[in-house]
Amino acid sequence: MTARRFTPYLIAGLVAQRLLELRVARRNEAWARAQGGQEYGQEHYPLFFVLHTGWLVGTLLEGRKARGGVRWGWLLLLLLAQPLRYWVIRTLGRQWNTRILIVPGAKRISGGPFRYLNHPNYAVVALEMISTPLTVGAWRSALLGSLLNAALLRFIRIPAEERALRAYREQTGEGPTPSS
């Protein structure tokens, strides 16, 4: 199959996956807020929405212009990352969502993929940011999306999570995992 023909199916699949995940995230967010969860870093949340939307649109446009076939190795990497994503979601349970919410009394999650990585969900996203576009030859979208994602995570999101944890520890002496 050509990359040009495959691209819309790939993007449609990712959009469907994200919409289903957002339903879970919204449900978990409502639960966290009902438990007294406090949000941190909400000012940067729109940046991720813009990044991910732009990355998907860029991949779609660039992939539709690509010559050649589907790069099956990159698709395999994308598919292999998905069980890790769902391992993260399952491990965090109700604490998983797309925002930084600290729930009073919540225990720090240290099992599952958190035994191996501090931010396993971000590792999955990084794999997707590079493998999805490269599956269809959209190297510009892979490069730009990956660099912007890394910058947002390194300089904005992860520091915001660390500040949220510090603030919570100072208030309570406890140390939960932010739900993200």
Side-chain angles (χ1 to χ4, degrees), residues 41 56 72 76 121 137 152 157 159 168:
L56 284 167
W72 298 106
L76 181 61
N121 195 59
L152 281 174
R157 179 65 175 218
Y168 185 80

Side-chain angles (χ1 to χ4, degrees), residues 11 18 38 42 57 60 63 67 84 89 92 95 121 171:
I11 298 302
R18 293 300 188 273
Q38 183 177 355
Q42 58 267 41
V57 170
L60 176 64
R67 299 178 197 264
L84 179 56
I89 292 170
L92 286 173
Q95 291 187 59
N121 195 59
Q171 290 173 357

Side-chain angles (χ1 to χ4, degrees), residues 147-161:
L147 290 174
L148 290 173
N149 183 60
L152 281 174
L153 288 175
R154 172 69 177 92
F155 298 112
I156 297 174
R157 179 65 175 218
I158 292 172
E161 286 185 5

